[in-house]
């Protein structure tokens, strides 16, 4: 079977302009675009395959970014794709993020579906103006006659021991911006499917890839996505405290749940998956059951997605809460030098510490 | 004032034709113009100026939040606007009312923006590929470049078929040249050799800031440093504006890559109706440019070609009528419904929009209930 | 007496470089810089006087921005200052916000204290990268050897009937960014003093000026600031529900309190004044008394300062809360066309509606 | 490869001096160099190369998270670094180890950054005004321009006093030229006529992207479009790098405004130790540039001047020692204390920092309690 996208985002897409195709299809296929069954893959490889599948099924899908061509991206997510689809579909751009996002907007107006790679979280800011004042607003500005199916892939987060600007989690900036959709996969399976669903979306999608999860392997089921793009998911059932997070936090929450179980505390773990909009139903249902919620994220806590979840869950499940929603997050400092990241970032201990605090109420 | 020895001109301020070696190559474009086209140049400049005055009046009468006058820049806009072919795409800044009009935009759409009814709202596919106004200075330059990359990827450049080959024309001001985005647009355009013409209207001011603060060097030198061919023209000369744009668009469509035109012109009015130029501009400069008015210059030229009074009277009447129709339609404009706020933030269903639309409806209903 | 700054922010400041002074002091003084007693002023004028006083007391204070010279800024806040202090201290810059912020950083490294004017809220985004990756981080990056006394003035907010990008409230983006301080005055008095305190701060301060409050007049006491920069303040005492906001919201909250009082509900009104850090003590004390809190802001509600206040107050005053913290805010859409701003923005009715809801718990 | 007819060169790849009309004006700078200075050029290039190799080894041995090699770019850096006067300020990107060394930066500071112990942390006032490395491409160009504006406002330009007049020297790469910030720096520098030299090390690659993607036009043309005088030099010729920088700094200090140098050089190593150039670079290009090595060229030249073996042996020993000291000191580096995270986010007391510092301390104490 062909890897097609599923979910509500599969619509007809914007009117595309015709013209001579730029890909000949003559190049040797180096990345399989049709797969079946299941396979154990890294998230990086799952993304490569997901991108390849999307490019195969719609030749308006193009990739743009710094070093994504012959190098295959600094994380090798686009490895082999330029060879397979040609330099007009996997485009090494000049070194200018505003230029990349701004020209991607123009290309989308022309009927393309650009998938932009930002090299590292901390380097999205030169493109922030185009994202905030243009990409996020142009659909509304056109009042229904323009769709902007652009995906901005942002490798993000810490735990990789890297230098300044290479370990940040800037989701909050975009979650505060109306007009953008934000998602973040936690597993290779979700990465494979969510990147295709994001590309199929007719709205701009910020696609946050947890760098520290690029290399661990997991099973990908090529047969079915299993969920729509903007849904959260309970990944471990429990009864005492609900813990929620996204991206790299999810595996940490699962580890915490394992440890907590050994000590007799049952955690219910929610994988947020979609950061904007947030799918609150499973979370609220869980909180109504447990009465306690801990939100974990790598980003600084102030004015963050964690703040929003705390505020909203408290508003919607006020009478169910036995304890305030507690946040475990990066401190409100710049991401520190790598030797301190283990202290800066939430870990299993800090999550369990918050769980314990939630249980003291 | 900022004319240089390289400034290209076909029509002197006194309405006489001038010739030079440098403009020689442009003459075929002028020679090919029909009388009808020349009349259309004049008609469009006159109608838009009259409309512009009317819109200013409407603003003063409280009918618009703001008006952005284009008076004085008609030749730059009308010449370049008529030079574009139907398949070309145009990315304006926010002052290119004449270009929009030429491409088929209903100018009342612009009025709607400045009355606070919409942030744009026209459909470029229905306005001769005239895209929305962009208020964040310089942003549109990158959209234009991206669009032109797409045209090139589509193979619609250099085919030799005059109805296929497509170019993009992007407008921006002297102030905009300082923005990173505009310079990045030069980088991308040159790197991908996009079919694109950058059209700079140097009207000498960015609100109150004179162009010399943006650059002590003539701005048409800038793109050359990026490897983009460029010319400086008398932007108040509609013939030169037409010919230079037509030639540059032809070069772009045929695959010669991006081109650049600096049109020297002047913002005769205020920056917007919120502005007070008396605070920063001196009378001499103003008078200097008044004497170089694009419309009266062209009128003299047409009269010299034998155009009779009847035509000028007809145009004046048409302009009057155009303005009064615009006024009437402005006064009849209806406000957008509240729920339109939520309608197009996303192109697909979105739970937050649904919830907030409902919240607003419930809230408003709570008053109707008499609470 | 001379208008000097008070509060904890008055320190020695960065080592300044010596060299020939650039201001001769020969120009006629057009804006008084020494004032006594009290005066009824607009906020715009109070800011002009506050800037003049700061420039007078420290000749390293310079102003930079678009149209701030002969025009005096589009809101006339710098009116007369270029005439008074010279073109080297009131600098009309090229039209490039990243350039303005970036060069202000360099000037601060040289010992200057630049006060940058961003023309409108929506035009801060081209400068976002320099603010986020440089201005906010350079102090930490230097580990104690660099101070960056830069003030970025941002006229913000709606209710002025303007076109796109001219009515926004982007505070949340900066409140999520460690390394920045954020304040917003609600009255002419606070404007006069807080701008001087902000300039005296040795850290970068984002100074949010509520545009719709530029023209109403209020009393300025030249004798005393009355409060330190990063403090919030109870501006009306009450017992039933606490309402908190900043900038233009404050007068609206006071109006709401007046109306509520007529109906027998007593609102305690808190003027936040400082958005980062937030001075929680008065707010928590109030909430512990009333048990109910409504947060009002013009910005979209999601992932906002309102979210943070809701989350933090709930965490710190959990057992005191009779109702969830409710937020009244702009909707999660781009700021709409001006004709709809009255519906989009919180008004007295929406605030009272939220108060009523809080009281139903 | 990217040499143009305008590329200035004093020392050919084979180590012989070359003369041309274009370089004539630079000769006084060279003639004024003492033997000692020439030896210092060689010594610095050699020591830093050896250090660079050592740092790469340390990275491979797991002692550094990353290393950023400067091998191949020593002449560009050493020539320009020695041309600056003590009062000048230098804003590097992140590869200018040799320049830092010249200005008195302890290179172990750079190692600390790349070991994950700091994001900077040196004090420019103690490192010969060598400012911190900046990793966001191009950002430092605006800081440098602002700093130079300050120098000018301070009146420390064009006084004629050689110890007063001050210039700013800013480094960036070929990739950086595409960033809006760098182009805005050109705009501001030219507008305010700052005492500033832009020093572009065109090492032909931005990670895996060849310079032709950034520009199809020689990059030294770019600043000319902004009105900034510019030259292109053989960046692997330490004499040319020195003379061009000295002359440009002199021009900047004397009030002639910003100047620009494009130094053609080559990144012999990987972009960083995380990079694999075999994926994108071909052997021919690599060999071409190996043959133009800056150090061996200068060694030949010095030997031609009569420098004996003893000196070269001495330098080799010194380089060995420098590297092994750096290694030893690297291995002895201590991690920063956890609370340092909170120490300098703000320069003044901050309640959130206080609270979170305490929170962390309490949390850590909860483990010590044996919980
Ligand atoms: C990014 C940004 N900064 C500031 C403004 C405010 N502003 C609106 S128009 C203008 C001047 C523009 O000058 P120019 O580019 O010469 O165009 P003109 O208005 O003269 O046609 C400014 C500063 C803006 N719209 N966008
Ligand atoms: C704004 C930004 N985008 C992307 C990066 C990632 N990055 C680091 S170095 C580099 C290439 C820089 O090339 P160049 O300017 O030529 O300098 P070189 O490394 O060759 O010395 C890139 C893309 C970055 N550091 N900053
Ligand atoms: Mg202008
Ligand atoms: Mg390079």
């Amino acid at each position: 079977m062909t890897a097609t996208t599923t979910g509500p985002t599969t619509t007809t897409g914007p009117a595309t302009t015709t013209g001579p195709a730029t890909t000949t299809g003559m190049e040797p296929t180096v990345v399989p675009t049709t797969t079946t069954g299941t396979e154990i893959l890294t998230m990086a490889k799952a993304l490569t395959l997901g991108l390849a599948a999307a490019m195969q099924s719609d030749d308006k899908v193009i990739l743009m970014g710094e070093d994504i061509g012959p190098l295959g991206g600094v994380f090798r997510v686009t490895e082999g794709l330029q060879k397979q689809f040609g330099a007009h579909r996997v485009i090494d751009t000049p070194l200018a993020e505003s230029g990349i996002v701004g020209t991607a907007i123009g290309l989308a107006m022309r009927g393309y579906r650009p998938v932009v790679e930002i090299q590292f979280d901390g380097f999205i800011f030169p493109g922030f103006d185009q994202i905030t004042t243009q990409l996020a607003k142009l659909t509304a500005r056109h009042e229904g006659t323009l769709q902007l199916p652009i995906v901005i892939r942002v490798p993000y987060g810490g735990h990789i021991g890297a230098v300044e600007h290479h370990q940040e989690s800037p989701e909050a900036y975009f979650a505060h911006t109306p007009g953008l959709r934000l998602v973040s996969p936690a597993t290779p399976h979700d990465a494979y499917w969510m990147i295709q669903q994001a590309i199929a979306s007719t709205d701009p999608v910020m696609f946050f890839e947890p760098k520290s999860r690029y290399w661990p392997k997991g099973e990908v089921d090529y047969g079915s996505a299993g969920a729509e793009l903007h849904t959260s998911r309970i990944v471990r059932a429990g009864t005492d405290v609900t813990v929620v997070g996204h991206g790299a936090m999810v595996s940490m929450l699962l580890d915490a749940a394992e440890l907590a179980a050994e000590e007799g505390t049952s955690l219910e773990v929610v994988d947020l998956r979609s950061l904007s909009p947030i799918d609150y139903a499973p979370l609220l249902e869980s909180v109504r059951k447990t009465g306690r919620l801990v939100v974990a994220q790598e980003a600084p806590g102030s004015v963050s997605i964690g703040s929003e979840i705390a505020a909203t869950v408290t508003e919607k499940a006020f009478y169910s809460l036995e304890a305030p929603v507690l946040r475990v997050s990066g401190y409100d400092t710049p991401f520190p030098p790598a030797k301190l990241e283990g202290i800066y970032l939430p870990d299993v201990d800090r999550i369990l510490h918050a769980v314990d605090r939630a249980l003291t109420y | 004032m900022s004319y240089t020895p390289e400034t290209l001109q076909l029509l002197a301020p006194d309405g006489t034709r001038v010739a030079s070696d440098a403009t020689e190559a442009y003459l075929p474009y002028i020679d090919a113009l029909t009388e009808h086209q020349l009349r259309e140049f004049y008609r469009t400049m006159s109608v838009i100026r009259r409309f512009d005055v009317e819109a200013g009046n409407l603003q003063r009468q409280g009918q618009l939040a703001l008006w952005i006058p284009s008076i004085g820049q008609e030749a730059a806009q009308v010449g370049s606007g008529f030079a574009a072919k139907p398949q070309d795409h145009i990315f304006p800044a926010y002052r290119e009312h004449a270009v929009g009009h030429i491409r088929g935009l209903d100018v009342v759409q612009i009025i709607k923006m400045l009355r606070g009814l919409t942030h744009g709202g026209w459909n470029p596919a229905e306005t001769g590929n005239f895209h929305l106004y962009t208020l964040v200075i310089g942003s549109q330059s990158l959209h234009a470049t991206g669009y032109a990359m797409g045209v090139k990827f589509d193979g619609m450049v250099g085919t030799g078929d005059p109805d296929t080959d497509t170019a993009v024309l992007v407008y921006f001001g002297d102030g905009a040249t300082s923005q990173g985005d505009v310079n990045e647009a030069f980088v991308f355009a040159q790197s991908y050799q996009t079919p694109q013409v950058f059209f700079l209207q140097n009207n000498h001011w960015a609100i109150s800031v004179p162009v010399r603060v943006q650059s002590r060097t003539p701005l048409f030198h800038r793109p050359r440093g990026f490897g983009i061919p460029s010319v400086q023209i008398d932007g108040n000369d509609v013939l030169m504006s037409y010919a230079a744009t037509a030639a540059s668009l032809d070069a772009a469509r045929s695959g010669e890559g991006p081109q650049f035109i600096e049109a020297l012109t002047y913002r005769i009015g205020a920056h917007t109706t919120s502005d007070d130029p008396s605070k920063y501009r001196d009378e001499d400069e103003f008078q200097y440019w008044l004497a170089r008015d694009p419309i009266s210059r062209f009128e003299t030229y047409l009269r010299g070609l034998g155009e009779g009074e009847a035509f000028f009277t007809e145009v004046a009447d048409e302009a009057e009528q155009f303005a009064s129709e615009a006024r009437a339609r402005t006064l009849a404009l209806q406000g957008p419904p509240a729920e339109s706020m939520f309608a197009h933030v996303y192109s697909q269903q979105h739970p937050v929009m649904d919830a907030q639309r409902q919240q607003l409806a419930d809230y408003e209903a709570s008053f109707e209930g008499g609470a």
Side-chain angles (χ1 to χ4, degrees), chain A, chain B:
Chain A
M1 57 158 293
T2 335
T4 53
T5 52
T6 58
T9 52
T10 318
T11 63
T12 53
T16 53
T17 343
T18 51
T22 46
T23 318
T24 62
M26 299 294 202
E27 299 89 353
T29 296
V30 295
V31 179
T33 52
T34 311
T35 38
T36 52
T38 65
E39 198 175 355
I40 307 288
L41 296 177
T42 64
M43 183 184 286
K45 183 73 183 172
L47 287 165
T48 314
L49 294 177
L51 288 168
M55 294 182 78
Q56 186 67 33
S57 65
D58 181 352
D59 68 9
K60 290 295 176 183
V61 175
I62 56 175
L63 313 187
M64 303 170 68
E66 296 157 6
D67 305 293
I68 66 169
L71 186 63
V74 296
F75 294 104
R76 305 294 184 269
V77 168
T78 57
E79 181 129 58
L81 296 176
Q82 190 180 65
K83 211 163 183 185
Q84 178 165 356
F85 294 102
H88 274 109
R89 293 192 62 197
V90 180
I91 305 169
D92 267 339
T93 62
L95 207 177
E97 287 76 8
S98 191
I100 298 170
V101 176
T103 55
I105 290 170
L107 280 156
M109 288 173 165
R110 180 73 187 174
Y112 284 85
R113 303 180 90 91
V115 181
V116 165
E117 174 173 306
I118 297 293
Q119 196 159 84
F120 282 91
D121 32 70
F123 303 137
I124 198 160
F125 298 108
F128 198 75
D129 175 57
Q130 282 286 346
I131 294 174
T132 313
T133 71
Q134 305 303 319
L135 181 60
K137 289 183 168 162
L138 273 160
T139 300
R141 202 179 289 155
H142 278 80
E143 297 177 2
T145 63
L146 178 75
Q147 297 179 331
L148 281 178
I150 295 178
V151 174
I152 302 194
R153 295 180 39 236
V154 188
Y156 80 114
H159 286 301
I160 66 161
V163 294
E164 198 182 2
H165 313 292
H166 291 70
Q167 305 225 79
E168 302 175 1
S169 295
E171 312 91 277
Y173 297 110
F174 306 96
H176 179 61
T177 307
L180 302 174
R181 296 173 181 268
L182 272 66
V183 299
S184 181
T187 64
H189 177 84
D190 273 356
Y192 176 78
W193 285 107
M194 288 169 75
I195 189 65
Q196 295 179 65
Q197 293 169 328
I199 293 170
S201 172
T202 55
D203 289 322
V205 179
M206 306 288 304
F207 194 87
F208 286 95
E209 302 174 2
K211 289 194 293 270
S212 64
R213 303 304 300 169
Y214 269 145
W215 308 121
K217 292 188 173 185
E219 185 179 278
V220 174
D221 179 350
Y222 294 119
S224 154
E228 297 182 358
L229 184 61
H230 292 295
T231 54
S232 61
R233 189 195 274 152
I234 294 185
V235 290
R236 177 182 173 123
T239 50
D240 297 333
V241 179
T242 306
V243 294
V244 61
H246 61 272
M249 274 298 126
V250 177
S251 65
M252 217 165 255
L253 293 174
L254 287 169
D255 289 349
E258 201 60 40
L259 279 172
E262 286 170 21
E263 314 223 323
T265 304
S266 165
L267 303 188
E268 182 145 298
V269 182
V270 181
D271 177 358
L272 215 46
R273 293 174 17 104
S274 176
L275 312 179
S276 183
I278 288 175
D279 175 24
Y280 277 106
L283 189 56
L284 288 170
E285 195 179 323
S286 177
V287 169
R288 291 203 179 97
K289 180 173 66 180
T290 62
R292 294 175 164 86
L293 176 62
V294 170
V295 190
Q297 66 185 19
E298 295 189 11
S302 281
V303 193
S304 68
I305 291 181
S307 320
E308 179 61 32
I309 292 176
T312 299
V313 168
T314 306
E315 191 174 333
K316 301 208 171 165
F318 187 64
Y319 289 123
S320 308
L321 283 173
E322 307 284 342
V325 178
L326 297 180
R327 288 172 282 167
V328 186
S329 70
Y331 293 101
D332 288 310
T333 71
F335 198 100
K339 291 280 185 204
L340 294 177
E341 67 171 320
I343 293 165
Y344 178 82
L345 291 170
D347 59 9
V348 168
D349 285 336
R350 271 173 68 198
I351 293 162
L352 290 175
H353 186 74
V355 165
D356 288 346
R357 277 176 55 221
L359 285 166
T360 62
Y361 279 81
Chain B
M1 297 238 155
S2 53
Y3 289 86
T4 67
E6 287 191 59
T7 312
L8 303 177
Q9 191 185 57
L10 290 168
L11 203 58
D14 66 5
T16 57
R17 282 287 296 273
V18 286
S20 75
D21 287 353
T23 52
E24 185 84 23
Y26 296 97
L27 295 181
Y29 288 101
I30 301 301
D31 296 342
L33 284 170
T34 62
E35 272 178 35
H36 172 74
Q37 284 175 299
L38 293 177
R39 288 203 196 96
E40 285 305 298
F41 287 4
Y42 180 80
R43 185 191 312 275
T44 308
M45 292 197 289
S46 303
V47 163
I48 287 298
R49 178 168 294 186
R50 181 62 191 82
F51 161 73
D52 202 305
V53 169
E54 193 66 28
N57 293 341
L58 282 164
Q59 196 281 333
R60 266 186 301 283
Q61 291 152 12
Q63 292 296 329
L64 302 188
L66 191 78
W67 181 246
I68 308 174
S70 66
I71 296 174
Q73 302 183 209
E74 293 90 350
Q77 296 186 13
V78 168
S80 58
F82 273 116
K85 288 191 180 175
Q87 71 268 30
D88 293 339
H89 278 254
I90 298 180
F91 289 77
Y94 45 75
R95 207 183 285 283
E96 289 70 33
H97 316 322
V99 183
H101 177 60
I102 290 168
R103 299 297 287 193
L105 173 71
D106 175 1
V107 291
V108 174
Q109 288 282 355
I110 302 171
I111 286 209
K112 283 178 72 176
M113 268 186 81
L114 299 174
R115 194 177 160 95
L117 302 175
T118 173
H119 287 326
W122 66 78
N123 179 358
E126 292 168 2
T127 59
N129 302 330
F130 184 77
H131 288 256
L132 297 192
Y133 277 179
T134 298
L135 301 187
V136 179
I137 297 294
S139 295
Q140 78 280 7
S141 60
L142 285 168
H143 309 162
T145 299
Y147 199 95
M149 286 166 68
V151 168
K152 186 155 188 205
F153 296 167
D154 289 343
M156 295 170 87
V157 179
T159 69
D161 176 353
D163 299 326
T164 296
D165 290 340
T166 300
V168 172
L169 178 59
V170 56
Y171 290 89
F172 55 102
D174 43 298
T177 61
S178 294
Q179 281 287 6
D181 272 8
V182 171
N183 292 283
E184 291 187 11
F186 299 159
V187 169
F188 278 69
Q190 200 259 357
S191 184
Y192 297 108
Q193 289 291 298
T194 52
Q196 170 173 26
V197 176
F198 290 97
F199 196 96
L200 162 61
Q201 287 179 81
N202 177 353
N203 65 6
H204 290 78
W205 291 91
I207 309 187
S208 73
V209 179
V211 61
R212 68 175 172 278
V213 170
Q214 319 292 343
S215 182
R216 294 159 177 260
T217 295
L219 285 167
F220 73 103
H221 291 187
R222 174 89 58 90
R224 293 182 183 169
F226 288 81
I228 298 176
S230 121
V231 292
Q232 185 184 57
I233 65 169
D234 180 342
N236 284 2
D237 169 357
V238 70
L239 295 181
M240 193 65 240
S241 175
Y242 172 79
T245 312
S248 296
L249 285 168
D250 274 351
R253 281 190 219 95
S254 68
E256 292 174 35
Q259 313 289 320
F260 188 101
I261 297 167
E262 177 187 8
L264 294 175
T265 180
Y266 196 73
R267 198 194 72 206
I268 291 294
H271 171 69
T272 67
T273 46
S274 303
D275 181 37
D276 175 6
S278 74
K279 294 218 162 209
Y280 53 82
R281 281 207 310 210
D282 73 19
E283 185 63 19
D284 285 357
E285 181 186 274
F286 182 72
Q287 290 302 334
Y288 173 91
W289 284 101
L290 260 192
R292 279 155 188 77
D293 185 70
I295 301 184
S296 60
R297 174 188 320 197
F298 196 57
E299 179 181 338
T300 308
Y301 175 64
L302 287 186
R303 287 189 192 272
L305 290 184
E307 192 62 67
E309 197 58 39
F311 169 71
F312 296 103
T313 311
E314 175 210 312
V315 168
D317 290 349
E318 184 183 331
E320 254 346 287
Q321 171 138 2
F322 188 88
S324 77
E325 238 174 66
R327 158 176 292 269
R329 290 178 52 219
T330 299
L331 300 181
L333 285 170
Q334 300 292 320
E339 67 276 13
S340 69
M341 262 183 339
F342 306 105
H344 302 296
V345 179
Y346 302 91
S347 67
Q348 294 175 359
Q349 186 273 340
H350 192 284
V352 176
M353 295 301 97
D354 294 348
Q356 297 192 351
R357 189 189 292 108
Q358 190 58 47
Q359 195 181 314
L360 174 58
D362 291 348
Y363 171 72
E364 302 218 305
S366 75
F367 291 96
E368 281 154 30

